[in-house]
Amino acid sequence: MLKRTLIAAATALSFAQPALAADDIMTKPWDDIVAQAKEEGQVVWYNWFLQPRFREFVKGFEEEYGIEVTIPDGTNEGNFNKFLAERDRPEGDIDVMSVPGDALSKFDPKTYFLGPLDTLPDFDKLRTEINSGDGKGYAVAYWGNQTGLAYDPTQVEFADLPQTFDDLTAWMTAHPMEFAFNDPQGGGAGKAFVQMAVRSKVSDADLKAEKFDAGWDWFKSQKDNYGYTASNADSLTRLNGGEFHLVVAWEDHLAGLQKKGEIDKRMKFYIPKFGMPGGGNAVGIPANAKHKHAALVFVNWLTSAKVQEMLATQLGASPVNSAAKGVPGGVPAEQRAYSVDWLAADTTDAISRQFLEKVVLGQ
């Protein structure tokens, strides 16, 4: 649905006027921007996930700057529809807009967002490309995430964890129905695993041609050996309950649930050598934002090394500021080397679509 919305918007925008030009706010000294931000006194951040946790988290910003942060309830798709609908208004309700990294490839950030954001003091330490999307300097990453495998160390020793895809196949055969992944429509962890299975079984030429049959053959051959869950959360809940011993998961999601006490702290996470996608989300400031100065100061705070380290330790995110450190005791640096970029959004969508048609509905 989001993809269709973005395509329709992009088509309409091809006949629209160019984006609102950045006014002199982008050339002001940073101290002047901060002073004006405090006068504005508020910023509205449309972010679709972990909303209750972020409302608590941003209190640090409010205390530091005296600027109130509002995070409305809403879904990713609902937020984006509002974002598109308000584009031609003189002033919109959204000051800071969160966008999945891969969605950046489906529209032109320069058309929608204020920028470029090189006025931010730490801009040279930030990422404008993430999850196969490019913010083009008008959107910057604020949240890094990583998919991998979560496991129960009371059931599986670290030395016995599958590392190559052939290892995983052998492990599943020896331990039927102890491994699970979720429906790609119910969360990105399942989408990541399906993608890696295809990448492990399909040649580069067939991948480019969207011929994924070798991957679907693997799933069909293993249908009696894997569990299939409804969502990211469902996988972790059933791991926690002992039904599965190894599941596909998000690093930050697992850490967040453990922090809340919903998943036992004994559960561990690793990135196998066959690789799992890592990506994240970005933020931009709508060109018609009402509180532009406050939005700039908030984005600078959110992406700063200090706050990125807090997001890592408190919420399990992967830092996206090059000066920030990760979670102490988290995934070892040598495992980070196994993180791979997501395939282009169109290819990712094609894999998910064919998986539904040829594996889920085809069985």
Side-chain angles (χ1 to χ4, degrees):
M1 183 64 72
L2 176 58
K3 180 182 179 182
R4 291 199 296 271
T5 302
L6 287 167
I7 291 174
T11 302
L13 286 171
S14 65
F15 301 100
Q17 295 297 315
L20 296 174
D23 59 19
D24 63 352
I25 184 176
M26 306 310 295
T27 60
K28 287 181 180 179
W30 185 251
D31 287 347
D32 291 352
I33 290 175
V34 173
Q36 185 63 42
K38 291 179 178 179
E39 288 189 24
E40 291 174 350
Q42 58 181 307
V43 62
V44 181
W45 179 25
Y46 271 65
N47 188 65
W48 76 93
F49 68 100
L50 293 179
Q51 291 155 340
R53 298 293 304 279
F54 273 117
R55 290 182 185 119
E56 291 297 315
F57 187 82
V58 298
K59 287 181 179 178
F61 173 80
E62 293 175 328
E63 293 171 359
E64 182 175 351
Y65 290 99
I67 298 171
E68 180 183 359
V69 181
T70 300
I71 304 175
D73 290 326
T75 65
N76 182 33
E77 182 179 346
N79 288 354
F80 212 92
N81 285 339
K82 178 177 176 61
F83 173 58
L84 295 177
E86 292 189 350
R87 180 181 177 274
D88 293 326
R89 287 172 47 182
E91 283 187 344
D93 297 329
I94 306 170
D95 294 319
V96 178
M97 180 71 189
S98 295
V99 182
D102 58 344
L104 290 171
S105 64
K106 299 174 182 177
F107 71 102
D108 184 5
K110 292 182 178 180
T111 302
Y112 292 82
F113 291 140
L114 185 73
L117 297 176
D118 52 6
T119 190
L120 299 178
D122 277 356
F123 183 78
D124 62 340
K125 300 180 179 66
L126 306 182
R127 292 178 61 178
T128 62
E129 297 182 21
I130 194 164
N131 218 44
S132 77
D134 186 355
K136 301 180 180 178
Y138 286 68
V140 292
Y142 75 99
W143 182 273
N145 51 36
Q146 176 64 50
T147 61
L149 303 180
Y151 66 99
D152 184 344
T154 67
Q155 301 295 330
V156 188
E157 297 285 344
F158 181 80
D160 296 330
L161 292 170
Q163 293 292 346
T164 67
F165 207 80
D166 286 343
D167 287 345
L168 178 62
T169 303
W171 193 91
M172 291 166 57
T173 302
H175 305 86
M177 299 306 294
E178 293 184 13
F179 168 79
F181 64 97
N182 63 278
D183 179 352
Q185 298 180 98
K191 182 181 293 187
F193 178 72
V194 171
Q195 179 173 131
M196 290 313 302
V198 167
R199 293 167 74 167
S200 297
K201 294 296 178 181
V202 173
S203 68
D204 290 344
D206 283 347
L207 191 65
K208 186 175 182 180
E210 297 189 358
K211 296 178 179 179
F212 310 134
D213 287 344
W216 311 146
D217 290 343
W218 180 85
F219 280 102
K220 293 172 184 177
S221 73
Q222 295 297 314
K223 66 179 181 178
D224 295 329
N225 294 332
Y226 64 75
Y228 190 58
T229 71
S231 64
N232 299 327
D234 188 31
S235 293
L236 290 173
T237 298
R238 293 163 75 174
L239 172 73
N240 198 59
E243 180 180 355
F244 302 119
H245 298 160
L246 184 68
V247 300
V248 182
W250 290 99
E251 178 185 15
D252 55 339
H253 188 210
L254 173 61
L257 292 176
Q258 288 178 317
K259 188 83 173 178
K260 292 192 290 184
E262 296 179 12
I263 298 295
D264 196 287
K265 286 184 167 41
R266 77 175 185 276
M267 301 305 172
K268 303 294 183 183
F269 178 94
Y270 82 108
I271 308 172
K273 291 181 180 179
F274 64 76
M276 287 292 288
N281 307 314
V283 284
I285 300 169
N288 64 345
K290 184 176 182 179
H291 308 106
K292 292 182 175 68
H293 297 81
L296 282 167
V297 173
F298 179 74
V299 168
N300 181 64
W301 176 84
L302 186 64
T303 59
S304 67
K306 176 187 73 174
V307 173
Q308 285 294 301
E309 290 173 10
M310 291 167 59
L311 287 173
T313 56
Q314 296 181 28
L315 299 180
S318 301
V320 287
N321 182 310
S322 61
K325 300 176 182 177
V327 182
V331 175
E334 59 268 23
Q335 285 187 27
R336 296 286 180 199
Y338 307 142
S339 175
V340 300
D341 290 333
W342 288 82
L343 294 173
D346 288 347
T347 305
T348 295
D349 290 344
I351 289 173
S352 296
R353 183 177 62 252
Q354 286 193 31
F355 174 79
L356 177 64
E357 295 170 353
K358 299 190 177 184
V359 178
V360 178
L361 300 179
Q363 291 184 358

XYZ file of all heavy atoms in Angstrom, residues 8 12 32 39 49 99 101 106 158 185 214 231 248 251 253 283 299 351:
137
model
N 2.041 6.726 -6.875
C 1.018 7.665 -7.311
C 1.438 9.097 -7.042
O 1.250 9.992 -7.873
C -0.305 7.361 -6.602
N 2.132 12.193 -9.756
C 1.485 13.502 -9.658
C 2.507 14.618 -9.574
O 2.342 15.675 -10.181
C 0.564 13.533 -8.437
N 22.117 31.017 16.233
C 20.882 31.746 15.922
C 19.715 30.778 15.712
O 18.577 31.058 16.108
C 21.071 32.604 14.676
C 22.024 33.775 14.907
O 22.405 34.005 16.072
O 22.380 34.452 13.922
N 12.455 29.955 20.895
C 11.294 30.843 20.796
C 10.091 30.099 20.215
O 8.953 30.307 20.648
C 11.629 32.059 19.929
C 12.576 33.063 20.585
C 12.704 34.341 19.763
O 11.762 34.641 18.993
O 13.728 35.023 19.909
N 6.910 4.015 15.243
C 7.196 2.841 16.085
C 7.766 3.281 17.437
O 8.298 4.378 17.578
C 8.163 1.882 15.381
C 9.566 2.409 15.205
C 10.584 2.035 16.063
C 9.873 3.279 14.174
C 11.881 2.522 15.909
C 11.158 3.759 13.998
C 12.157 3.393 14.880
N 10.995 8.220 8.095
C 10.779 7.484 6.857
C 11.628 6.219 6.875
O 12.824 6.289 7.183
C 11.178 8.330 5.624
C 10.899 7.580 4.341
C 10.453 9.664 5.620
N 14.204 3.645 5.590
C 15.285 3.935 4.659
C 14.975 3.538 3.235
O 15.281 4.290 2.291
N 11.823 5.724 -3.226
C 10.547 5.750 -3.929
C 9.995 7.160 -4.124
O 8.904 7.336 -4.654
C 9.528 4.883 -3.178
C 9.960 3.421 -3.096
C 9.015 2.594 -2.234
C 9.499 1.157 -2.147
N 8.655 0.328 -1.271
N 26.677 -21.730 21.530
C 27.146 -20.804 20.503
C 27.972 -21.527 19.445
O 27.837 -21.249 18.247
C 27.974 -19.686 21.136
C 28.464 -18.678 20.133
C 27.630 -17.677 19.663
C 29.762 -18.749 19.631
C 28.064 -16.759 18.715
C 30.210 -17.834 18.681
C 29.354 -16.833 18.225
N 4.912 -10.379 5.399
C 3.877 -9.353 5.502
C 3.637 -8.933 6.951
O 3.001 -7.914 7.210
C 2.561 -9.858 4.907
C 2.658 -10.181 3.420
C 1.340 -10.667 2.855
O 0.584 -9.913 2.255
N 1.058 -11.937 3.066
N 15.122 -21.194 -7.626
C 16.017 -22.020 -6.804
C 15.782 -21.753 -5.318
O 15.872 -22.654 -4.478
C 17.476 -21.750 -7.172
N 4.401 -12.812 13.005
C 5.034 -11.493 13.073
C 6.393 -11.591 13.750
O 6.762 -12.636 14.306
C 4.151 -10.525 13.869
O 4.041 -10.955 15.224
N 14.418 -15.946 13.405
C 14.885 -14.730 12.747
C 14.315 -13.534 13.505
O 13.145 -13.540 13.905
C 14.444 -14.704 11.274
C 14.968 -13.458 10.577
C 14.938 -15.961 10.557
N 17.644 -7.084 15.934
C 18.465 -6.846 17.120
C 17.800 -5.845 18.064
O 17.704 -6.078 19.278
C 19.845 -6.330 16.692
C 20.778 -6.011 17.836
C 22.089 -5.391 17.374
O 22.163 -4.943 16.199
O 23.034 -5.360 18.176
N 14.640 -4.891 18.219
C 13.353 -5.373 18.722
C 13.552 -6.301 19.915
O 12.877 -6.157 20.948
C 12.615 -6.092 17.594
C 11.212 -6.481 17.921
N 10.598 -7.579 17.376
C 10.305 -5.930 18.759
C 9.364 -7.682 17.849
N 9.162 -6.686 18.692
N 15.139 10.601 9.022
C 14.233 11.714 9.308
C 14.521 12.863 8.352
O 15.654 13.093 7.954
C 14.356 12.238 10.765
C 13.671 11.310 11.739
C 15.805 12.489 11.147
N 16.519 17.363 15.164
C 17.213 16.391 14.315
C 18.693 16.327 14.692
O 19.290 15.242 14.733
C 17.027 16.739 12.824
C 17.973 15.912 11.947
C 15.578 16.511 12.401
N 10.798 -10.202 -4.494
C 11.059 -11.433 -3.743
C 9.905 -11.738 -2.791
O 9.415 -12.873 -2.719
C 12.388 -11.318 -2.970
C 13.563 -11.347 -3.938
C 12.529 -12.444 -1.943
C 14.915 -11.070 -3.297
